[in-house]
Each structure stands twice: as structure tokens, then as C-alpha cells.
Amino acid sequence: MEAFTTHTGIGVPLRRSNVDTDQIIPAVYLKRVTKTGFDDGLFHAWRTNDPDFVLNRPAYTKGSVLVAGPDFGTGSSREHAVWALRDYGFKAVLSSRFADIFRGNAGKQGLVAGVLSEDDLEQLWKILEEAPGTEVTIDLENRQAHAGEAGAVFRFDVDDYTRWRLMEGLDDIGLTLRHEQDITDFEAKRPAWLPKTLPARNAESV
Amino acid sequence: MAGTLAEKVWADHVVRLGENGEPDLLYIDLQLLHEVTSPQAFDGLRQEGRTPRRLDQQLATEDHNTPTIDIDKPIADLTSRTQIDTLRRNAEEFGVRIHSLGDVDQGIVHVVGPQLGLTMPGITVVCGDSHTSTHGAFGALAFGIGTSEVEHVLATQTLPLNPFKTMAITVDGTLKPGVTAKDIILAVIAKIGTGGGAGYVLEYRGEAIRTLSMEGRMTICNMSIEAGARAGMIAPDETTFEYVQGRPHAPQGADWDEAVEYWKTLRSEDDATFDTEVHIDADDLEPFVTWGTNPGQGLPLSASVPAPEDFTDDNARVAAENALEYMDLVPGTPLKDIKVDTVFMGSCTNGRIEDLRAFASVLEGRRKHPEVRVMVVPGSARVRLQAEKEGLDQIFLAFGAEWRQAGCSMCLGMNPDQLAPGERAASTSNRNFEGRQGKGGRTHLVSPVVAAATAVRGTLSTPSDLGAPTAPSDLQPVA
């Protein structure tokens, strides 16, 4: 994973709450077995059917900082939603509330998911709507977003551990495997009756 | 030991406590896999030269992409076929147990796990599917994960996680006839909202929960995610033990006694404190239905379509405006006047044998509305066999319904079972998102008995809206 410190790019105001992962990328795009190339599926229904959709407006098309309403990323656990945002070019999503699984997935893929207060969200939307194409700078170290000519600063939350991993660009599995002995010790103490899928049994074998 | 059920199960799975803001490292007892969210995880293992740590704690099945008719023929959709073939190749290469299409143990991953007795009280269960919360019905800590985490569990059998907050949802009282587990959970989501459970494990408790069957409890825990909670749990009791005992992978003999001894400790202590508490009175509940495009946009069936002005919160008002436009509904319309084109009975929410029995109990001696398509899809191949053993298939067919093979089917638009643009469905599944059941499709979430009554009348209905059924001998054969 690439290390993230700061990023500056066009802010995209998505004035909708409850943007579920089916809207971010419909199920039909989930049939692929690759991990890249999902940008064509991003917000597919809205990009296809609604000429006024924010990403269809030229000033926002090249956006890389998405500013969305509360409960962003609800629903399905599909990491494809994060892959689609990433492949389109988004580096950060700001919202007043994220679904847990989406936020976790974002952290694994180097996409910053920062939580803003509702008041700040409203203010940031206004800045981005009044001057389409306004750039937003995401300063992960200080957990700040800077936007607009007046130099407005918005504080966002990202938990310490995720922030550290994003800034270092660390791979989670590698980090966990440093504690492999702890896992082995834990396994040695597990009761024998816990579920085992192998050898396979079924209704005919009991 | 003081603490809530969720805290107890968490504590029993901590491999290593996090230090300095690090998350805890949590042990995972069981990982369930399916074709959609696993290919990139297996690829990741290959790229890094890693192998699964515990093959005996993995189980794969095919469900999301699989067709529910003509399953003996090659899958027509090439990308779906590729994804299924990829899972089969990965399972073979790495040695993962798999139940493929056509196998007697194939089915929706959240139906198969409990059915095989792999889902037990007090274990941790993960799957690259948000409805993994289903397994919490057994008192397991079960939650959906993303593909990177699937790879993490394959490689390490653990996950780094921050502890959840806890929310008690107490449902006291007794459900009225015709009101079911599905109505409880739709009412819970309408009450706390689609983000109300974010960051929490929900524990459902109270008299109305205790009297539910395991199937009903699974329906409730299944939809915890629709309230934003990764997991929902119900403390195990005699109902749970009875369901697990004798299943293929359930503990046996002395192991069984030891397991039950432990399982009986898995309840929230009387002095345990929850971060949040919610109360619902079961006596007040009515059959519920969603009118909008998220599962929190629901109302009792006796109500009318709301107007955006009814919502004081700006976001909720805009969401209602968008939803009514997408759903093509006019404020003030009685919900029972809404005509549907399709009734879908199935999914990991309501595709178990008890759900099919409830559906059949309303249909028996009746004929479907001529303009409604009715699809009945069992949650697993075993559920299908059981239903046929009980003669339910004959009731469905006599009613005019399609009786299909097991899979996720019309719950999500990944397989051939989809709504056409503009088509409206009453569905026993879990999500009414825009396009969820097919591009442009419109979904109303309902319980199996409401789905059945709707299939009879052609408009959203409860069983109490139906007259007496015709004696079976008076029905004409279906052409």
C-alpha cells in the first residue's frame, strides 16, 4: 500500500445520505475476479441516467476528494466499492458518518475515510457548490481538510491506528504475522469440540 | 464475570490485547467463503506465497451467482461462470472444503453454516458478506468483512479489530398473530435508522425474542447490518441447544456436555451495562413494509405512503423525496393499495424451512393473483429437499408459484433472477436499495406471510385481509 501524507484535489459534493454500496457499485460489476479496473462501475446508475449527477458536471469530473452525506457505504460488505472509488481516482472520502465495514475496507486500500461534523459537512458542501472545481487538501497527519480561497479548515477524525498505517503504507497481514507465536499459543488452548470443517461431515455421515 | 454477551465472546477470542491505540487481535473460529468476495483474497495469498493457516476452519459454497433453474447446464453468463470456476479452482488448489452447485449441501452460505452444525454459540464467524450477522442468532459473534480481511483470515486466522460498543434491544411482550420476526427487525431499523447501529453489536433480548424459533432469530440477526451494526446477537438457550444438537458438526457425547456447560455462561450479566438501550413493545407491532429505498424507510402496512414534508431532518426529507421518485409512489396512498408485479420468497433472511412453511400456510387452498409472478427459492438444497418431503412444493405449484433451486436468487442482481426496470416486488429479502434486485426494480421488504397474502391479492396485504381459502378439491389444476 502506498503511504499517504497529504493530497490535494478537486472536492466533489455528493449531497445524499445513505449512499449504500449497491449505489457505489452495482452487484453486476462484482463478477470480476480482478482487483482493479472497477472505475466504470462507480455510481453507475447515477452517472448513466442523471445528467445533473455531480460527477457528470465537467467541473467535478476529475474530482479526488468526495464529500458525502451521513451513512456513506452502508449495506453490502463489497470491497469493490472502495476499489471503484480508488480506481476512479478518489484518494479520500469525507462524511459525517460511515458504515463500519466500508470504513474498514477503505483503510485497507489506502483510501482515507474521514469523519466530519454535520455542520462542517454543510459548510464544506457550500464551498464546493459555490465554486465548482475548488480543491481540497487532505492533511492526514493533522487530520485537517483545507478548502477554498478563504482558507477554511475542517477537522476530521480517523482513528490513530488507521492513520498510522495509512501514513506508513503498512500491510496488515505482515503486521499480524509478527505475532504468530501468540496465535499458535492461543490455538493450543482451544477446546477440541469447536467447529472443524474438515474432515467433512454431512447429514448422511451422522 | 461481569459483562455483556458480546464482551464475553470478545474476551474469549483475544489473542493479543492492542497496545498504544493498536486494535486487539481477535481469533476467528470459522470463515465462510463464497465466489464473489474471495477470488482477490486467494490471489493475494498466491502473490505473497502464503497458504491458509487453518483449512479446517474454512468452508466455501456457491450462492450469489448461481442460477436457480437448469442447474445441470453450464452457467450461461460467462462472467458468472468464470467467478464460480475461479472459486472451484482456488478451493482445489488450496484444499478448502467446497459445496458446489448440485451438491446436497450447497446453498446460501448463511443457511449452510447453521444447517451443518458449524455455527455454534460463543464462536467467532466471519464471511465476506455483510449478512454474516445471521449467525449471531446462536450467540456467536459474527460479522461481515471485506476481501482484504478475507485474505487476512485465510493467512492468519485472526483479525485486528477495535472493540464494538454494545446496544441492548429489548423486545418485551407478545407478538400478535400474523406479526413475525421480520416485522420486529423492520420496526427496529425504522426506529434506530440505517446508521443507528454503526459501531455497535446489537443484543436482542426480552420475552418476544426468547419465544422465537432459531429461524426467527436468524431473520432478526441477519438484518442487524441494515441498522448499521456489523453484528447482532441473541444469548443461547434451550431453543439454541436443541437446534444444534445432532447436526453433522455439532459436538457429541462428553464434548456436547462440556460445550453446553460453557454455552450456558454466554448471557449478559444482570448488572452488565450497555452503551445504549432500546425498548420495543411487541404488543404494539403490526406487519411492516418498506416504502422507500433503504430498510429504515418502513411503516406498518396499515399506514399510507408518507410525504417528504413529514420529515423534519433535512437529510431524511431529501432521502424521502429521492425514494418516492424512484419508487414511483404518491404521498397519502394507502400502502395496501400498492400493486406488485412479483413476489420473491427466499434469501438468507427468509429462505429457511420455517419461512417456507409460514408462506405455504397462507397459500394453501388459494390461487395466486393472475398478474403476479411468484418465485419461491429455498435457501439451501437441503431446505428444498425438506420442503418437498413435507409436500410444500405441491402447495407452491398448485398456487401457481415457481419452485426453484437454492441460491441468493432475486435478493441481489447477480444471477438471472432479476426485476425488470420499473417492476415492483414484495420481497422477503433484506435490501430495498435502488437497483438491488435488478436495474430500475422497486422493492418492498416484507415477511413471508405478508408476501404470501400479497401474492393472493396482488396488492400489499396481510393474511388478515384474505377471506377463507377454497377447499383444495375445488381448485382447478394450474395450466
Side-chain angles (χ1 to χ4, degrees):
Chain A
M1 195 165 78
E2 209 175 305
F4 188 114
T5 46
T6 63
H7 167 77
T8 301
I10 293 171
V12 179
L14 180 61
R15 224 179 237 279
R16 272 184 181 256
S17 59
N18 270 298
V19 176
D20 57 72
T21 53
D22 277 77
Q23 302 319 311
I24 301 174
I25 187 164
V28 69
Y29 288 92
L30 273 49
K31 297 182 186 184
R32 298 172 182 165
V33 295
T34 56
K35 208 170 175 171
T36 53
F38 287 91
D39 46 321
D40 55 339
L42 181 70
F43 297 126
H44 186 262
W46 295 336
R47 275 165 73 198
T48 314
N49 304 328
D50 178 3
D52 293 331
F53 180 63
V54 64
L55 286 180
N56 289 336
R57 297 170 57 191
Y60 298 112
T61 302
K62 294 205 169 100
S64 61
V65 177
L66 187 65
V67 183
D71 298 317
F72 187 83
T74 52
S76 153
S77 63
R78 59 190 69 165
E79 197 162 309
H80 311 65
V82 172
W83 302 337
L85 286 161
R86 180 201 61 194
D87 292 349
Y88 184 89
F90 283 104
K91 304 289 184 197
V93 185
L94 301 175
S95 166
S96 54
R97 188 158 63 185
F98 288 96
D100 292 337
I101 303 178
F102 176 87
R103 202 181 45 202
N105 289 341
K108 311 279 181 207
Q109 294 298 324
L111 180 74
V112 172
V115 180
L116 289 177
S117 73
E118 289 207 16
D119 288 346
D120 283 356
L121 175 66
E122 189 60 43
Q123 275 194 52
L124 186 49
W125 270 341
K126 278 196 184 128
I127 292 173
L128 301 179
E129 284 165 352
E130 280 166 12
T134 297
E135 289 192 335
V136 178
T137 296
I138 300 292
D139 171 358
L140 183 58
E141 180 162 19
N142 295 304
R143 297 183 174 98
Q144 286 176 343
H146 302 255
E149 285 180 3
V153 180
F154 303 94
R155 189 179 163 75
F156 62 82
D157 273 337
V158 171
D159 70 78
D160 290 344
Y161 181 74
T162 303
R163 172 172 155 271
W164 171 71
R165 270 196 325 98
L166 287 169
M167 291 183 62
E168 301 288 327
L170 290 171
D171 159 39
D172 251 4
I173 296 178
L175 285 173
T176 295
L177 288 175
R178 296 195 304 199
H179 306 300
E180 196 171 2
Q181 189 58 47
D182 293 332
I183 303 173
T184 304
D185 293 347
F186 183 92
E187 284 179 330
K189 289 184 289 188
R190 297 174 73 237
W193 48 261
L194 284 168
K196 282 198 173 49
T197 57
L198 297 173
R201 308 175 64 147
N202 63 27
E204 285 74 36
S205 61
V206 287
Chain B
M1 192 176 86
T4 64
L5 166 61
E7 287 161 349
K8 287 182 181 183
V9 177
W10 183 282
D12 285 349
H13 288 85
V14 172
V15 170
R16 186 176 173 276
L17 278 171
E19 295 161 5
N20 307 321
E22 259 182 298
D24 293 346
L25 194 60
L26 207 70
Y27 195 78
I28 303 302
D29 292 312
L30 178 65
Q31 172 157 259
L32 304 170
L33 299 154
H34 61 86
E35 74 274 15
V36 182
T37 55
S38 67
Q40 297 86 354
F42 284 112
D43 242 7
L45 289 186
R46 257 190 299 268
Q47 279 167 18
E48 299 294 325
R50 290 171 175 144
T51 51
R53 180 180 178 88
R54 295 299 300 248
L55 284 169
D56 59 351
Q57 290 167 225
Q58 315 289 331
L59 178 77
T61 182
E62 300 165 2
D63 54 8
H64 285 64
N65 275 272
T66 50
T68 56
I69 50 170
D70 297 332
I71 65 166
D72 53 336
K73 301 193 177 76
I75 296 174
D77 181 313
L78 276 180
T79 49
S80 287
R81 199 199 301 176
T82 301
Q83 201 163 54
I84 299 266
D85 286 345
T86 304
L87 177 66
R88 291 177 188 176
R89 273 203 312 275
N90 284 329
E92 191 181 346
E93 179 185 333
F94 289 99
V96 173
R97 173 176 173 188
I98 184 170
H99 292 294
S100 289
L101 198 57
D103 179 318
V104 71
D105 283 307
Q106 178 266 345
I108 307 176
V109 67
H110 309 307
V111 178
V112 171
Q115 185 175 276
L116 283 169
L118 288 165
T119 304
M120 297 178 194
I123 65 169
T124 48
V125 185
V126 296
C127 174
D129 188 283
S130 61
H131 292 112
T132 309
S133 55
T134 309
H135 307 263
F138 293 79
L141 181 61
F143 48 91
I145 58 178
T147 297
S148 294
E149 290 172 309
V150 171
E151 183 182 342
H152 198 115
V153 174
L154 282 168
T156 71
Q157 208 57 39
T158 64
L159 277 178
L161 287 168
N162 287 309
F164 301 106
K165 290 181 286 183
T166 57
M167 185 187 296
I169 297 184
T170 306
V171 190
D172 283 320
T174 313
L175 292 174
K176 287 184 283 221
V179 185
T180 67
K182 185 67 166 280
D183 304 304
I184 294 180
I185 189 61
L186 286 173
V188 166
I189 300 163
K191 182 167 177 142
I192 71 172
T194 55
Y200 290 92
V201 174
L202 311 182
E203 182 183 337
Y204 304 96
R205 36 204 256 142
E207 186 191 347
I209 302 293
R210 291 263 73 90
T211 51
L212 287 176
S213 66
M214 285 315 296
E215 284 90 344
R217 295 178 189 188
M218 283 189 258
T219 298
I220 289 188
C221 288
N222 171 276
M223 288 188 71
S224 301
I225 183 67
E226 314 314 337
R230 261 177 118 164
M233 299 176 86
I234 294 173
D237 58 12
E238 290 302 326
T239 304
T240 322
F241 307 150
E242 200 177 303
Y243 184 95
V244 174
Q245 191 165 28
R247 290 188 180 269
H249 286 276
Q252 295 174 357
D255 279 347
W256 173 259
D257 298 336
E258 189 186 318
V260 171
E261 191 83 356
Y262 170 63
W263 294 345
K264 284 182 174 168
T265 68
L266 297 174
R267 49 181 290 277
S268 292
E269 297 298 320
D270 295 339
D271 60 353
T273 48
F274 292 87
D275 296 299
T276 304
E277 297 206 35
V278 173
H279 288 268
I280 287 187
D281 195 342
D283 299 288
D284 296 342
L285 292 180
E286 292 179 50
F288 240 72
V289 62
T290 60
W291 52 268
T293 54
N294 74 56
Q297 292 173 322
L299 281 170
L301 256 166
S302 54
S304 298
V305 175
E309 306 83 79
D310 299 345
F311 299 89
T312 49
D313 176 79
D314 280 353
N315 284 315
R317 193 177 58 248
V318 174
E321 268 168 24
N322 290 332
L324 293 178
E325 190 190 336
Y326 182 85
M327 295 295 288
D328 192 26
L329 291 175
V330 178
T333 309
L335 291 167
K336 286 189 180 177
D337 286 356
I338 297 172
K339 281 188 190 167
V340 308
D341 306 299
T342 291
V343 168
F344 170 60
M345 172 66 211
S347 85
C348 61
T349 310
N350 282 125
R352 296 181 182 80
I353 189 67
E354 188 190 79
D355 301 311
L356 296 186
R357 287 180 192 140
F359 190 72
S361 72
V362 178
L363 306 185
E364 201 161 8
R366 301 182 195 276
R367 184 62 48 77
K368 79 174 179 73
H369 188 279
E371 286 164 25
V372 176
R373 164 171 69 143
V374 184
M375 285 176 57
V376 186
V377 184
S380 72
R382 293 248 183 226
V383 168
R384 184 180 156 96
L385 289 175
Q386 179 65 29
E388 289 179 349
K389 199 169 141 194
E390 296 179 18
L392 303 183
D393 58 323
Q394 293 309 310
I395 296 173
F396 302 143
L397 293 170
F399 179 71
E402 298 168 30
W403 173 234
R404 289 174 169 248
Q405 303 287 338
C408 295
S409 184
M410 198 183 263
C411 178
L412 87 174
M414 281 200 81
N415 56 65
D417 305 346
Q418 298 195 23
L419 294 178
E423 195 175 347
R424 187 182 297 278
S427 176
T428 64
S429 56
N430 41 59
R431 288 191 174 133
N432 51 341
F433 299 154
E434 291 182 21
R436 168 77 180 185
Q437 296 193 286
K439 203 173 174 180
R442 299 174 176 134
T443 304
H444 297 277
L445 300 177
V446 294
S447 72
V449 293
V450 169
T454 302
V456 175
R457 290 186 11 129
T459 56
L460 293 171
S461 305
T462 66
S464 60
D465 297 324
L466 304 177
T470 315
S473 56
D474 295 343
L475 286 172
Q476 296 303 308
V478 178

